[in-house]
Amino acid sequence: MAETFHDFVVQRSAALSRRAYLLTGDHQLAEDLLQNALARTYRHWRRITDPEAYVRRAMYHQQVTWWRRRRLVERLESEPTEQPGDDHSDTTALRLTLAAALRQLTARQRAVVVLRFYEDLTEAQVAEVLGCSVGTVKRHGYDAIRRLRAIAPDLVDRTTERSAR
Amino acid sequence: MTSRLRDSLRTAASDVPAYPVYEKALATARRSRRRTALAAMAALVLTALAGALLPATGSSVPAAGTDAALPDRVGVPPRGSLHATDRPRIGPSSVIFTGRADGMEWANEHSIIAIVGADSDRYRIIKGEADTRAGANTVLSPDGRQIAFSELDSTGPRVRIVDLATGDSRTVDSGIPNTVQVVPVAWSPDGRTLVLRDTLPPNDDALSIVTLDGERIRLAEAGEPGSPVAFSPDGARLAFQSGRNVSVVDLAGRRLSSFTLPPETELAGKGAWSADGRTLTMTRHEGMRWSLRRVDPTTGRDLGALDVPAVSGVTAIRLLGWSADGSARVVAYQPAATAEVRFDIFLEMEQRLAYANVSTVQVLALGRGAGTPTTLLTAPQGVIAIDVADNVIRGGQVRHANPPTAFGPRFWLWTGLITVLLVGIVLYRTREKLALWLDDQRVSRRQAAD
């Protein structure tokens, strides 16, 4: 564990930023999310034994809360603004495709996808982080994959897609 | 089977920069701490205010005022006045009054008993039964600290005694079965004994001497409804009127004497005994002119008129007592313009003091050798009954009063609480819009800073 809050942020901000971006699909929102989660962590720093887990949990819960507040507005928006273009690099194109696809998921579904397939947590660990049952994690995960297949088939294995059908 | 999704996520995350959020996170945390501290402070202040104002019981006893004085006027208690048992305690009272003025009644024509502080214009109220009349069936103890009034609920009638200094209350009753109503009519000088009057079916009354320790003695005579009961200054005897007879009994209920009153003559009031206990005072009226006379308490022999001015143009007077300078203090009942009875002919005392027949009351001083009465206290129209603590009568002090107006503390407390509740509901219902607005503000600030 880092000795000070400053050391912790210096050492872990890159990893935390990536996680925040995947959760929000937007750099600005990701920065806000990380900033708030770190602020909350700082306020309870002396009592926290595992800051990494605390920030992660704070980010996921904050994201779900924000999503609830913003979903009405999001529903009123038109199609995702970021679209892959011919002049982008492959990585950028993939990031934009992924961001657009993730935006079509609910906050819980997005959280489950990131926790399961980016952080490689088990379903039980995901349930613990999100504070829900394993069954809920399974349902959100299933719904998320099915939705991603429909939105962006290239992001998931074609063989799996075919066999699933 | 989701390896492609895993790869996609890692590839997409690989070129995400580390956001420079350290300083901003610290600023956010400090701002949040400040807000939490402010909210806690506000909650503390609100709690302290509520604790000070909300009804509660406690053991703090305000010191008995040494400057107890009669206010020169009383006013209808403001709406939202504190109750007698609310904090801060009012302590001993100088005056209580009742009536039918706007603000002096509550649900279904029940009476509000108004209480005025001993040495200031602090007001408290008690929500009493219908037809509550201060000085007649609601009485203030001699030291002004306790009020006794009748109470009626599903378990039956009783008399409640509220201690204005502590907020404590207790009940007493006469123990007479099948009573319809029991009211307190007099306090003993030491404040430890009450005289109660029971109304018994079909048409009977009974007087009882009840000590606060629980002893009860039923008197043989019924006592005249509407007529006062007067304790002698030493508290050993009491006089009361029954029909045209006046009886004097001791605290064991033994009759010491009894005599018949001449026409147009009544036992004068709770202050009927002279200071030395040797004579009783009667009122005599000719038409609407009322004067005071002394009689021998043993034989009823008329000892002549007192050297004090008569009071004219009133439905009746009641003698409260004697001040240190020897002058009499009386309540004068002013006739109501709408009264449908005549007061210059025979009329029962109960009728003379009835709600419908009195417009207002005054407390007058009848000085020895004075030509006319001096008005000490005035009350608004519709205040038709009043009682004054014996120590205030004896002390003789009168102070300039400025009764409270507008709204009382309970009104503001409830208005404040309801406002906070409504604001809370509005904030809760608009929380999503509010959060979005705050987010937008934050983004705007950051963009402006960048």
Side-chain angles (χ1 to χ4, degrees):
Chain A
M1 175 181 163
E3 285 187 7
T4 65
F5 179 70
H6 179 262
D7 292 344
F8 170 73
V9 175
V10 168
Q11 289 170 18
R12 301 300 304 154
S13 63
L16 294 170
S17 297
R18 288 195 285 275
R19 195 177 287 152
Y21 175 76
L22 291 177
L23 277 173
T24 59
D26 179 278
H27 286 302
Q28 192 162 313
L29 288 176
E31 195 171 335
D32 281 349
L33 182 64
L34 182 56
Q35 176 185 322
N36 276 284
L38 286 176
R40 184 173 295 186
T41 307
Y42 176 71
R43 275 163 42 210
H44 303 105
W45 182 254
R46 288 181 185 174
R47 297 197 300 272
I48 295 172
T49 53
D50 184 355
E52 178 91 18
Y54 188 90
V55 176
R56 182 168 62 191
R57 194 184 296 264
M59 280 203 298
Y60 285 107
H61 285 280
Q62 183 74 60
Q63 170 61 8
V64 170
T65 306
W66 281 5
W67 180 81
R68 282 189 187 130
R69 289 177 189 162
R70 290 182 177 277
R71 60 185 166 184
L72 284 175
V73 177
E74 286 181 356
R75 279 177 190 165
L76 294 175
E77 286 180 352
S78 54
E79 291 300 307
T81 51
E82 286 185 273
Q83 294 290 345
D86 294 339
D87 55 342
H88 292 311
S89 67
D90 287 348
T91 304
T92 306
L94 173 67
R95 184 167 59 77
L96 292 177
T97 304
L98 185 70
L102 289 177
R103 260 199 297 268
Q104 303 297 310
L105 304 182
T106 68
R108 286 262 185 199
Q109 289 170 348
R110 205 181 300 168
V112 170
V113 166
V114 175
L115 285 166
R116 285 283 287 128
F117 305 117
Y118 177 70
E119 302 205 26
D120 284 331
L121 300 187
T122 64
E123 287 175 336
Q125 288 169 324
V126 174
E128 190 185 341
V129 170
L130 295 180
C132 62
S133 69
V134 175
T136 304
V137 171
K138 283 181 178 173
R139 201 192 75 220
H140 285 316
Y142 174 79
D143 290 346
I145 296 296
R146 194 176 60 173
R147 204 160 180 181
L148 284 174
R149 278 186 187 129
I151 299 163
D154 291 344
L155 291 179
V156 292
D157 303 283
R158 289 197 177 89
T159 51
T160 309
E161 188 181 30
R162 285 192 196 101
S163 63
R165 286 177 185 173
Chain B
M1 67 184 203
T2 50
S3 58
R4 191 174 174 82
L5 178 58
R6 281 194 169 82
D7 293 342
S8 303
L9 288 167
R10 294 207 168 90
T11 306
S14 62
D15 62 346
V16 172
Y19 302 129
V21 294
Y22 176 71
E23 295 294 341
K24 292 173 185 169
L26 290 188
T28 303
R30 285 168 186 148
R31 193 165 58 239
S32 175
R33 259 185 199 161
R34 278 198 302 274
R35 285 177 182 166
T36 305
L38 279 173
M41 204 176 296
L44 208 62
V45 169
L46 279 176
T47 306
L49 280 175
L53 295 177
L54 279 175
T57 56
S59 57
S60 61
V61 180
T66 53
D67 301 322
L70 187 73
D72 65 1
R73 65 190 177 106
V74 295
V76 173
R79 293 190 192 280
S81 289
L82 292 178
H83 290 196
T85 50
D86 286 352
R87 281 181 172 168
R89 311 289 186 222
I90 188 173
S93 164
S94 57
V95 169
I96 62 172
F97 57 93
T98 54
R100 52 180 162 74
D102 277 349
M104 295 291 304
E105 291 182 324
W106 61 292
N108 202 17
E109 297 188 339
H110 281 49
S111 302
I112 284 178
I113 304 163
I115 304 159
V116 185
D119 54 4
S120 69
D121 286 312
R122 286 178 301 151
Y123 276 52
R124 296 288 188 277
I125 61 166
I126 290 173
K127 291 185 170 178
E129 298 293 330
D131 193 31
T132 296
R133 283 174 288 165
N137 58 25
T138 297
V139 286
L140 187 58
S141 66
D143 61 0
R145 182 170 161 156
Q146 300 179 91
I147 292 179
F149 55 98
S150 69
E151 191 177 81
L152 187 65
D153 63 17
S154 55
T155 60
R158 65 175 70 81
V159 168
R160 182 164 294 278
I161 301 166
V162 171
D163 187 320
L164 298 173
T166 63
D168 296 337
S169 76
R170 59 191 299 183
T171 59
V172 294
D173 60 60
S174 61
I176 299 173
N178 303 322
T179 183
V180 175
Q181 185 188 26
V182 56
V183 299
V185 291
W187 281 97
S188 64
D190 63 1
R192 300 189 53 77
T193 304
L194 269 173
V195 177
L196 309 184
R197 173 179 286 121
D198 281 79
T199 303
L200 304 171
N203 187 24
D204 203 2
D205 289 290
L207 284 180
S208 303
I209 299 171
V210 177
T211 69
L212 300 189
D213 299 329
E215 288 181 45
R216 297 186 286 214
I217 298 165
R218 181 173 174 176
L219 301 180
E221 294 86 349
E224 184 76 8
S227 177
V229 172
F231 269 93
S232 61
D234 61 3
R237 295 168 290 168
L238 57 97
F240 56 91
Q241 187 175 335
S242 180
R244 299 310 303 159
N245 287 329
V246 168
S247 298
V248 177
V249 300
D250 64 14
L251 290 191
R254 289 185 292 263
R255 182 191 293 177
L256 303 177
S257 62
S258 180
F259 54 88
T260 302
L261 289 168
E264 317 298 347
T265 304
E266 313 283 342
L267 186 63
K270 71 171 183 176
W273 289 90
S274 59
D276 58 10
R278 291 183 177 176
T279 61
L280 273 173
T281 311
M282 304 292 151
T283 58
R284 177 178 292 178
H285 65 100
E286 297 164 5
M288 292 177 72
R289 184 174 183 277
W290 290 68
S291 57
L292 298 179
R293 300 185 72 83
R294 289 178 304 162
V295 301
D296 184 318
T298 309
T299 62
R301 184 169 61 91
D302 186 359
L303 301 175
L306 278 159
D307 181 22
V308 296
V311 183
S312 299
V314 295
T315 73
I317 61 171
R318 299 292 283 270
L319 179 58
L320 292 167
W322 304 87
S323 79
D325 64 4
S327 64
R329 298 287 196 260
V330 300
V331 181
Y333 297 83
Q334 304 296 327
T338 54
E340 296 177 348
V341 293
R342 288 179 60 184
F343 302 106
D344 56 350
I345 57 174
F346 172 77
L347 188 66
E348 288 179 345
M349 187 58 85
E350 199 170 17
Q351 279 295 310
R352 292 182 176 277
L353 309 183
Y355 263 50
N357 295 336
V358 178
S359 63
T360 186
V361 294
Q362 294 175 330
V363 175
L364 308 177
L366 308 182
R368 301 276 184 180
T372 55
T374 304
T375 302
L376 302 180
L377 176 147
T378 57
Q381 293 289 311
V383 170
I384 59 104
I386 192 167
D387 194 14
V388 182
D390 290 354
N391 62 349
V392 174
I393 295 295
R394 268 195 309 275
Q397 298 293 316
V398 180
R399 64 176 177 81
H400 175 66
N402 190 17
T405 54
F407 297 101
R410 276 192 172 221
F411 172 86
W412 295 116
L413 180 68
W414 283 110
T415 302
L417 287 176
I418 290 169
T419 304
V420 167
L421 191 67
L422 289 177
V423 168
I425 290 171
V426 169
L427 288 177
Y428 181 76
R429 294 182 72 126
T430 58
R431 65 190 185 285
E432 293 184 350
K433 288 180 184 170
L434 202 63
L436 283 174
W437 182 80
L438 287 172
D439 284 348
D440 291 344
Q441 293 295 106
R442 191 172 61 229
V443 170
S444 300
R445 275 202 306 272
R446 193 169 58 185
Q447 285 172 345
D450 292 343

